[in-house]
Short mmCIF file of all heavy atoms in Angstrom, two decimals:
data_model
loop_
_atom_site.label_atom_id
_atom_site.label_comp_id
_atom_site.label_asym_id
_atom_site.label_seq_id
_atom_site.Cartn_x
_atom_site.Cartn_y
_atom_site.Cartn_z
N GLU A 280 -24.51 -8.02 16.91
CA GLU A 280 -25.42 -8.95 17.57
C GLU A 280 -25.47 -10.25 16.77
O GLU A 280 -25.96 -10.29 15.65
CB GLU A 280 -26.82 -8.35 17.66
CG GLU A 280 -27.80 -9.18 18.49
CD GLU A 280 -27.52 -9.08 19.98
OE1 GLU A 280 -26.50 -9.67 20.42
OE2 GLU A 280 -28.32 -8.45 20.70
N VAL A 281 -24.92 -11.34 17.35
CA VAL A 281 -24.88 -12.63 16.68
C VAL A 281 -25.69 -13.64 17.49
O VAL A 281 -26.21 -13.32 18.57
CB VAL A 281 -23.42 -13.12 16.52
CG1 VAL A 281 -22.65 -12.19 15.59
CG2 VAL A 281 -22.73 -13.20 17.88
N ILE A 282 -25.80 -14.85 16.97
CA ILE A 282 -26.63 -15.86 17.62
C ILE A 282 -26.14 -16.15 19.03
O ILE A 282 -26.95 -16.29 19.96
CB ILE A 282 -26.65 -17.15 16.77
CG1 ILE A 282 -27.37 -16.89 15.45
CG2 ILE A 282 -27.33 -18.29 17.52
CD1 ILE A 282 -27.40 -18.09 14.52
N ALA A 283 -24.83 -16.23 19.23
CA ALA A 283 -24.28 -16.57 20.55
C ALA A 283 -24.65 -15.52 21.59
O ALA A 283 -25.07 -15.86 22.71
CB ALA A 283 -22.77 -16.72 20.45
N THR A 284 -24.51 -14.25 21.26
CA THR A 284 -24.84 -13.19 22.22
C THR A 284 -26.35 -13.10 22.42
O THR A 284 -26.82 -12.81 23.52
CB THR A 284 -24.30 -11.84 21.74
OG1 THR A 284 -24.82 -11.54 20.44
CG2 THR A 284 -22.78 -11.87 21.66
N TYR A 285 -27.12 -13.37 21.37
CA TYR A 285 -28.58 -13.34 21.48
C TYR A 285 -29.08 -14.46 22.40
O TYR A 285 -29.99 -14.25 23.21
CB TYR A 285 -29.19 -13.46 20.09
CG TYR A 285 -30.70 -13.29 20.06
CD1 TYR A 285 -31.27 -12.03 20.23
CD2 TYR A 285 -31.54 -14.38 19.87
CE1 TYR A 285 -32.65 -11.86 20.19
CE2 TYR A 285 -32.91 -14.22 19.83
CZ TYR A 285 -33.46 -12.96 20.00
OH TYR A 285 -34.83 -12.80 19.97
N VAL A 286 -28.49 -15.64 22.29
CA VAL A 286 -28.85 -16.76 23.17
C VAL A 286 -28.56 -16.41 24.62
O VAL A 286 -29.35 -16.71 25.52
CB VAL A 286 -28.09 -18.04 22.75
CG1 VAL A 286 -28.22 -19.12 23.82
CG2 VAL A 286 -28.62 -18.55 21.43
N TYR A 287 -27.42 -15.76 24.87
CA TYR A 287 -27.07 -15.36 26.24
C TYR A 287 -28.09 -14.37 26.79
O TYR A 287 -28.55 -14.51 27.93
CB TYR A 287 -25.67 -14.74 26.25
CG TYR A 287 -25.34 -14.02 27.53
CD1 TYR A 287 -25.02 -14.72 28.69
CD2 TYR A 287 -25.36 -12.62 27.58
CE1 TYR A 287 -24.72 -14.05 29.87
CE2 TYR A 287 -25.06 -11.95 28.75
CZ TYR A 287 -24.75 -12.66 29.89
OH TYR A 287 -24.46 -11.99 31.06
N LYS A 288 -28.44 -13.39 26.00
CA LYS A 288 -29.37 -12.37 26.47
C LYS A 288 -30.77 -12.93 26.68
O LYS A 288 -31.47 -12.56 27.63
CB LYS A 288 -29.40 -11.20 25.49
CG LYS A 288 -28.08 -10.44 25.41
CD LYS A 288 -28.10 -9.38 24.32
CE LYS A 288 -26.76 -8.67 24.22
NZ LYS A 288 -26.70 -7.68 23.12
N ILE A 289 -31.20 -13.83 25.78
CA ILE A 289 -32.53 -14.41 25.89
C ILE A 289 -32.59 -15.43 27.03
O ILE A 289 -33.54 -15.46 27.82
CB ILE A 289 -32.95 -15.08 24.56
CG1 ILE A 289 -33.17 -14.01 23.48
CG2 ILE A 289 -34.20 -15.92 24.74
CD1 ILE A 289 -34.34 -13.09 23.77
N GLY A 290 -31.56 -16.28 27.11
CA GLY A 290 -31.58 -17.37 28.09
C GLY A 290 -31.21 -16.95 29.49
O GLY A 290 -31.93 -17.27 30.45
N ILE A 291 -30.09 -16.24 29.66
CA ILE A 291 -29.60 -15.92 30.99
C ILE A 291 -30.23 -14.65 31.54
O ILE A 291 -30.67 -14.60 32.69
CB ILE A 291 -28.06 -15.77 30.97
CG1 ILE A 291 -27.42 -17.04 30.41
CG2 ILE A 291 -27.53 -15.46 32.36
CD1 ILE A 291 -27.72 -18.29 31.22
N ILE A 292 -30.30 -13.62 30.72
CA ILE A 292 -30.82 -12.34 31.20
C ILE A 292 -32.35 -12.34 31.24
O ILE A 292 -32.96 -11.90 32.23
CB ILE A 292 -30.30 -11.19 30.32
CG1 ILE A 292 -28.77 -11.11 30.40
CG2 ILE A 292 -30.92 -9.86 30.75
CD1 ILE A 292 -28.16 -10.03 29.54
#
Side-chain angles (χ1 to χ4, degrees):
E280 187 73 288
V281 295
I282 293 178
T284 57
Y285 186 73
V286 168
Y287 167 76
K288 294 174 182 177
I289 292 295
I291 304 300
I292 298 179

